[in-house]
Amino acid sequence: MTIPFIIAIDGPAASGKGTLSRRLAEAFELPHLDTGLTYRAVAHALLESGQPLNDEDTAVEAAKAIDLGALDPAVLAVHTIGEAASKVAVMSRVRSTLVEQQRKFANSGRGAVLDGRDIGTVVCPNAQVKLYVTASPEVRAERRWKEVQERGILKGMDASFETILSDIRLRDERDMGRADSPLKPAEDAHLLDTSKMDIETAFQTALSIVKSSKPE
Ligand code: CDP
């Protein structure tokens, strides 16, 4: 049996990892899982049913009920769900429940592309290629600002650049500062700073890194 070819992509909010992951998955004809959607789905389920975001038992039940095949990015993209997801994501038993499902996805076929915060460090430490995608907070806030203008994902919230920038900084702090699986590059990750790159340049750079790591 051949070992699944796994591409692990991590990085902070609005670093470009989502677009890069989708395009790499297309290029290598591999299934793609945006693991952020799994945390978002738990947060969404709790918000919808009026449950607190910090009750671990309830959140674990919600995490067990997640169906990876039914994650709807259109519903889950809302800005407030991202914020809520990063609160849910600090709870260890919620993480282990979701990580188990993410690992199954990664290892069930001939390979996969997974993106998130802890793919190279925790979910798939044996991935053949690991990318850590970053950009400065200002550049990421600018990208997110444009995205919310285009997609209307703020739902009536203050959409100013300053608010988005401060949310990004807060989320970085929460994701990098948590005890369980903090956001950080794996030791063997390739660092890709996209601050001065457009998406095409970032994709071509990522593509050549992956190609050079892929067995024939
Ligand atoms: O799209 P964006 O980068 O804003 O967020 P996301 O990737 O959808 O993730 C939302 C939140 O889920 C993050 O801020 C993390 O707190 C959490 N998350 C995580 O802890 N581990 C992952 N593998 C993916 C997301």
Side-chain angles (χ1 to χ4, degrees):
M1 213 185 83
T2 47
I3 301 165
F5 183 65
I6 299 173
I7 305 175
I9 306 188
D10 292 300
S15 54
K17 64 184 189 310
T19 309
L20 284 179
S21 308
R22 275 190 298 279
R23 292 198 54 185
L24 287 171
E26 244 172 66
F28 293 98
E29 296 180 359
L30 291 171
H32 168 226
L33 178 64
D34 170 355
T35 61
L37 290 179
T38 63
Y39 292 90
R40 284 173 180 261
V42 173
H44 183 238
L46 297 175
L47 292 170
E48 284 288 285
S49 57
Q51 312 267 14
L53 291 172
N54 58 359
D55 183 288
E56 192 155 12
D57 287 338
T58 316
V60 168
E61 286 314 305
K64 283 185 186 157
I66 297 300
D67 174 358
L68 292 195
L71 301 168
D72 185 350
V75 172
L76 299 173
V78 175
H79 186 71
T80 43
I81 298 181
E83 290 299 299
S86 76
K87 293 180 184 156
V88 163
V90 302
M91 294 182 281
S92 286
R93 284 194 294 122
V94 172
R95 299 199 69 84
S96 57
T97 306
L98 294 177
V99 166
E100 194 185 315
Q101 301 176 48
Q102 295 161 7
R103 282 191 185 134
K104 267 191 203 141
F105 180 94
N107 291 291
S108 64
R110 58 180 194 88
V113 180
L114 280 82
D115 75 278
R117 302 289 192 286
D118 59 343
I119 309 303
T121 50
V122 176
V123 181
C124 302
N126 297 326
Q128 282 84 345
V129 197
K130 299 179 185 179
L131 290 175
Y132 188 83
V133 187
T134 53
S136 70
E138 290 75 15
V139 168
R140 290 187 283 126
E142 180 81 34
R143 289 180 187 157
R144 193 49 46 107
W145 184 77
K146 283 198 183 127
E147 198 183 29
V148 300
Q149 305 298 316
E150 282 158 19
R151 295 170 58 194
I153 52 181
L154 270 183
K155 283 221 169 142
M157 275 181 56
D158 173 5
S160 73
F161 174 80
E162 284 70 28
T163 309
I164 292 177
L165 178 59
S166 78
D167 278 358
I168 280 202
R169 289 191 200 278
L170 252 177
R171 189 111 75 88
D172 282 359
E173 251 173 60
R174 208 181 281 139
D175 288 347
M176 292 174 184
R178 69 179 171 228
D180 188 347
S181 317
L183 169 64
K184 62 172 182 197
E187 273 176 24
D188 49 351
H190 298 265
L191 302 186
L192 185 58
D193 185 337
T194 66
S195 300
K196 295 192 177 122
M197 291 179 185
D198 60 19
I199 190 63
E200 194 51 41
T201 314
F203 172 63
Q204 291 304 332
T205 312
L207 191 62
S208 64
I209 294 172
V210 177
K211 277 185 178 161
S212 65
S213 319
K214 193 174 189 308
E216 281 316 307

